[in-house]
Amino acid sequence: MTTHFNTIGVIGAGAMGRGIAQIAAQAGSQVMLFDKDHAASSRAISDIATQWDKLVAKGRVDAALAEAYKARLSVPKALSDLSPCELVIEAIVERLDIKQALFAELESIVSPQSLLATNTSSLSVTAIAAGLKHPERMAGYHFFNPVPLMKVVEVISGLKTSAATCTALTTYAKQMGHTPVQAQDTPGFIVNHAGRGYGTEALRIVGENIADFATIDRILKDQAGFKLGPFELMDLTALDVSHPVMESIYNQYYQEPRYRPSVITAQRLAGGLLGKKTGEGFYKYANGVAEWPAEAPTPVVEEMPPVWVSPRASRRAELLSLLKTLGATIETGASPSMNALTLVAPLGFDITTVAVVERLDPARTVGIDMLLDDAHTKRRVLATNPATRADMRDAAHALFARDGKAVSVIRDSGGFVTQRVIAHIVNIASDMCQQGVCSPQDLETAVTLGLGYPQGPLALGNLCGPTNILEVLFNMQTVYGDTRYRPSPWLRRRGAIGLSLLQEES
Ligand code: NAI
């Protein structure tokens, strides 16, 4: 089978089709860009040429090479003109019936050896290929927008797709300068499936009134290193795109609780607060720039109480050394004195439960999130319980801000913001490995390149410690009684035997 395609067809000259046509021409293929709207194809070709001219002007592409690229693009008059194509990539409207009809027609045009690929993001590749005479030559080829910049492509194997078809598409992806990852035909494939962890759990935290949008965005960027907070990200993608994706994956998995969408985005979508493109989403935008609400100032505390740290605190030694650096008076007794600020650092449990179980005075008890190494984060997160006294809350806030690090104080919840979101991301990724959606390595690659996470979900799980992630999930399941937080067996097995999440089973 050919691995380099001399002549290819791209159908649909919208945002995706034109990007695919561009990188295919750059890889050396003759590209016929067909659209049912002939003018759209011509427009796309002139827009792609403009892109190349810009690259020439910036000195990134040689002028003669750009002319060679341009000569490789053409607009066929009719679909039947695609007969010489060795590969046809479809990027038309996201409708199963229309895609099926197109591929049925294409089979009567191209040779039986030609490969067919769909850029669908949410439909089943198997379903699109179902009516074909040769479904083995058809696969999913899922690119991301904008195609030339998003350097990852999912090669999706439908139930009848041959291994040779996937191999050829994988090789061609590399020739186009992209990183291919291999996925089974499952809802959301890799990137859109793995991406369920971030926004949905953040929405649930807002839904519980634990913290507001901006606080959650700040925490996840400063503590966990995400480039964009979940609400900034949803504003950028726009809710008319992201809410239907949440609903689609949830329903395709027959209401699996891990993917449950939120009433918050449903309502905002109905109200037209779509995001940046409409000028208002979770944030308001003035000239395209988000207006961030100011952070609560650090309280001024005249007299700092002594501090007592629960013996069951996570990363206790690290917390004690941090307190020493911050100049706190640390109590060493078996229980806190009458005046002491009482610190707990649970994983997955809420501060209220910890105060009750450890028989601490809830009025003086404040929690701190110690899931991640404090030295590697730019923000500390504290949580109060309903009985925490304002002076104790303020003392903790002022104490942990002494070295200038940002501090957020949130309401009590099972698991802090970062614990909840990271545990959810790691759990969903683990369950994808359990299902065999893709290899752990491809999962990491796809998520890092496709979602721009600081690292892959499994590496993030390793950083926190698989047993800590399990502890967060087990305890959250207890607090919420929600099967959404049940750990994937894949994660449980690795946690139980102390295995790295990136280690493959023999
Ligand atoms: P778009 O709306 O920008 O462009 C679609 C183009 O297809 C239009 O020019 C339309 O005239 C043409 N078209 C529609 N029906 C046709 C037919 N029967 N025959 C020939 N041309 C036809 O759409 P976009 O965003 O480029 O998406 C295309 C496909 O790629 C969809 O399946 C979408 O789900 C998928 N996708 C989109 C991504 C995105 O971020 N926009 C990301 C990944 C996949």
Side-chain angles (χ1 to χ4, degrees):
M1 185 173 290
T2 15
T3 49
H4 185 84
F5 302 100
N6 292 317
T7 307
I8 77 154
V10 175
I11 307 187
M16 299 306 288
R18 62 179 63 188
I20 298 167
Q22 181 180 337
I23 61 167
Q26 288 168 191
S29 299
Q30 297 292 327
V31 182
M32 295 193 206
L33 180 56
F34 179 82
D35 197 290
K36 70 174 170 68
D37 172 7
H38 194 266
S41 303
S42 308
R43 251 193 336 266
I45 285 197
S46 100
D47 287 353
I48 300 169
T50 309
Q51 291 300 321
W52 283 324
D53 289 341
K54 281 188 190 155
L55 292 175
V56 171
K58 284 185 195 159
R60 305 241 307 265
V61 171
D62 179 70
L65 188 59
E67 290 312 308
Y69 290 164
K70 288 180 198 173
R72 291 181 196 143
L73 291 179
S74 63
V75 178
K77 286 199 177 60
L79 196 65
S80 55
D81 292 343
L82 298 187
S83 58
C85 292
E86 297 148 63
L87 164 69
V88 179
I89 305 170
E90 165 277 312
I92 64 166
V93 59
E94 189 75 338
R95 279 259 309 269
L96 179 62
D97 54 342
I98 300 181
K99 287 192 198 277
Q100 281 174 328
L102 175 71
F103 279 109
E105 196 179 346
L106 274 173
E107 254 201 332
S108 68
I109 294 171
V110 298
S111 88
Q113 286 75 39
S114 299
L115 300 189
L116 303 174
T118 172
N119 185 45
T120 183
S121 51
S122 64
L123 301 170
S124 154
V125 173
T126 306
I128 297 173
L132 296 184
K133 287 193 204 84
H134 296 290
E136 69 283 354
R137 51 134 145 203
M138 152 121 194
Y141 215 20
H142 184 213
F143 290 88
F144 296 83
N145 193 14
V147 179
L149 299 181
M150 297 293 288
K151 299 273 185 195
V152 63
V153 54
E154 297 173 336
V155 177
I156 301 133
S157 182
L159 282 184
K160 296 217 163 156
T161 308
S162 72
T165 300
C166 291
T167 306
L169 291 177
T170 298
T171 307
Y172 189 50
K174 290 181 194 153
Q175 288 166 347
M176 290 189 286
H178 271 47
T179 302
V181 287
Q182 185 72 47
Q184 292 305 315
D185 185 20
T186 47
F189 312 131
I190 307 177
V191 172
N192 285 343
H193 186 167
R196 291 314 93 225
Y198 197 40
T200 45
E201 192 59 20
L203 281 161
R204 202 165 150 92
I205 298 169
V206 168
E208 288 168 17
N209 211 9
I210 302 301
D212 59 28
F213 313 126
T215 303
I216 295 172
D217 277 354
R218 285 184 174 119
I219 292 173
L220 288 164
K221 289 200 291 184
D222 291 351
Q223 268 203 326
F226 288 96
K227 279 187 212 132
L228 291 176
F231 299 100
E232 281 179 283
L233 189 64
M234 280 185 266
D235 270 3
L236 203 63
T237 359
L239 286 189
D240 55 341
V241 175
S242 42
H243 183 76
V245 172
M246 290 186 225
E247 285 193 333
S248 159
I249 292 183
Y250 176 63
N251 288 321
Q252 286 186 75
Y253 271 109
Y254 296 105
Q255 291 84 44
E256 160 59 50
R258 287 196 188 101
Y259 313 128
R260 194 184 306 137
S262 166
V263 292
I264 295 173
T265 44
Q267 188 197 41
R268 290 180 160 257
L269 173 59
L273 283 78
L274 303 188
K276 194 173 175 182
K277 71 179 181 189
T278 53
E280 185 172 3
F282 293 104
Y283 298 92
K284 282 202 172 113
Y285 292 83
N287 300 320
V289 179
E291 291 170 6
W292 283 77
E295 287 205 64
T298 305
V300 179
V301 174
E302 300 293 338
E303 209 175 323
M304 190 60 74
V307 183
W308 182 90
V309 177
S310 158
R312 294 168 71 175
S314 55
R315 290 186 188 270
R316 186 167 190 271
E318 199 180 299
L319 179 55
L320 286 169
S321 119
L322 169 65
L323 287 165
K324 216 166 135 196
T325 313
L326 294 171
T329 308
I330 302 168
E331 291 193 351
T332 52
S335 52
S337 71
M338 289 308 287
N339 303 322
L341 165 65
T342 306
L343 283 181
V344 296
L347 294 174
F349 269 131
D350 53 315
I351 312 308
T352 311
T353 301
V354 175
V356 171
V357 170
E358 296 189 24
R359 297 180 193 279
L360 303 170
D361 174 7
R364 291 182 290 129
T365 305
V366 173
I368 179 164
D369 188 353
M370 293 298 290
L371 175 68
L372 290 159
D373 182 355
D374 179 77
H376 293 121
T377 65
K378 293 198 210 117
R379 180 175 293 269
R380 299 185 181 115
V381 179
L382 306 175
T384 53
N385 69 71
T388 305
R389 273 188 351 232
D391 62 323
M392 287 293 158
R393 179 199 61 208
D394 289 352
H397 187 161
L399 175 60
F400 283 105
R402 268 185 181 171
D403 58 354
K405 204 179 252 200
V407 172
S408 295
V409 184
I410 62 170
R411 293 199 188 88
D412 200 9
S413 118
F416 295 77
V417 172
T418 299
Q419 290 183 14
R420 291 179 67 157
V421 173
I422 290 186
H424 204 50
I425 288 173
V426 175
N427 198 26
I428 285 179
S430 299
D431 210 52
M432 290 173 68
C433 295
Q434 177 73 51
Q435 288 179 41
V437 172
C438 57
S439 71
Q441 199 46 61
D442 272 1
L443 193 145
E444 299 291 275
T445 305
V447 170
T448 327
L449 294 176
L451 296 174
Y453 285 7
Q455 52 195 321
L458 303 176
L460 204 54
N462 284 335
L463 181 76
C464 300
T467 47
N468 290 335
I469 297 289
L470 275 173
E471 193 173 332
V472 170
L473 290 167
F474 280 132
N475 292 341
M476 284 190 66
Q477 223 185 327
T478 307
V479 173
Y480 288 100
D482 191 333
T483 54
R484 175 188 181 94
Y485 300 114
R486 73 195 187 284
S488 165
W490 194 92
L491 177 61
R492 285 182 72 150
R493 286 201 301 273
R494 277 155 186 76
I497 53 179
L499 208 64
S500 145
L501 297 184
L502 280 165
Q503 215 159 316
E504 297 221 34
E505 263 171 49
S506 52

